[in-house]
Amino acid sequence: MADKRTGKRVKNLRTLRKTAHNLDSLFLSFKTIKRAEGRAAGKLNQYEDNYGYFIEYLDRHDIKRSVKEITRDTIRGYIVYMHDKWVKFEDHKFKPEDSMTVGLSPSTIIVCIISYKIGNKLVRTNLCSHRLM
């Protein structure tokens, strides 16, 4: 009679930690974390606005909304875009033409970049394995 016991199974493959790569779902997780930390509503709105600007940049340059697609060069390109090509109040219907200037101020760019350090928070909370910056 054949022995049907197989014995202890040997694990041949390593399993990696499953992390999300979609920027939209990661941003929602980030917002939930910040809301749980007690951030002010104005700060949360600022995060949303800055994320919207970044997504707009990615869409205009045909870059996928994936953490794997975001590199340091992508961030540097975005900084240059904000400084040299961004038109202030571009689609604002009540602003006059003379207030629609090209380029954001360095202080505005710094505020935006600080908001993009969401990757560091997501890595610390094990929601993502890639740092954005």
Side-chain angles (χ1 to χ4, degrees), residues 16-20 126-127:
L16 297 175
R17 176 180 48 166
K18 299 214 189 252
T19 59
N126 292 328
L127 291 173

Side-chain angles (χ1 to χ4, degrees), residues 87-90 92 94-103:
V87 178
K88 289 186 236 179
F89 311 116
E90 185 175 17
H92 200 286
F94 297 115
K95 291 288 183 180
E97 288 287 325
D98 59 338
S99 65
M100 295 183 192
T101 58
V102 177

Side-chain angles (χ1 to χ4, degrees), residues 29-86:
S29 299
F30 171 76
K31 234 173 43 171
T32 304
I33 291 169
K34 290 299 182 181
R35 191 173 295 131
E37 289 177 352
R39 295 284 181 191
K43 189 66 173 175
L44 293 172
N45 289 338
Q46 184 182 22
Y47 287 141
E48 282 189 30
D49 292 343
N50 290 336
Y51 179 70
Y53 299 145
F54 184 62
I55 290 301
E56 181 181 330
Y57 168 78
L58 293 179
D59 292 344
R60 284 185 181 183
H61 291 85
D62 295 325
I63 301 172
K64 294 180 183 177
R65 293 184 187 188
S66 172
V67 174
K68 292 181 178 182
E69 299 293 323
I70 308 300
T71 62
R72 289 179 189 254
D73 291 333
T74 307
I75 302 295
R76 288 182 187 124
Y78 180 59
I79 293 170
V80 170
Y81 173 78
M82 286 191 293
H83 190 266
D84 296 339
K85 298 178 184 172
W86 190 282

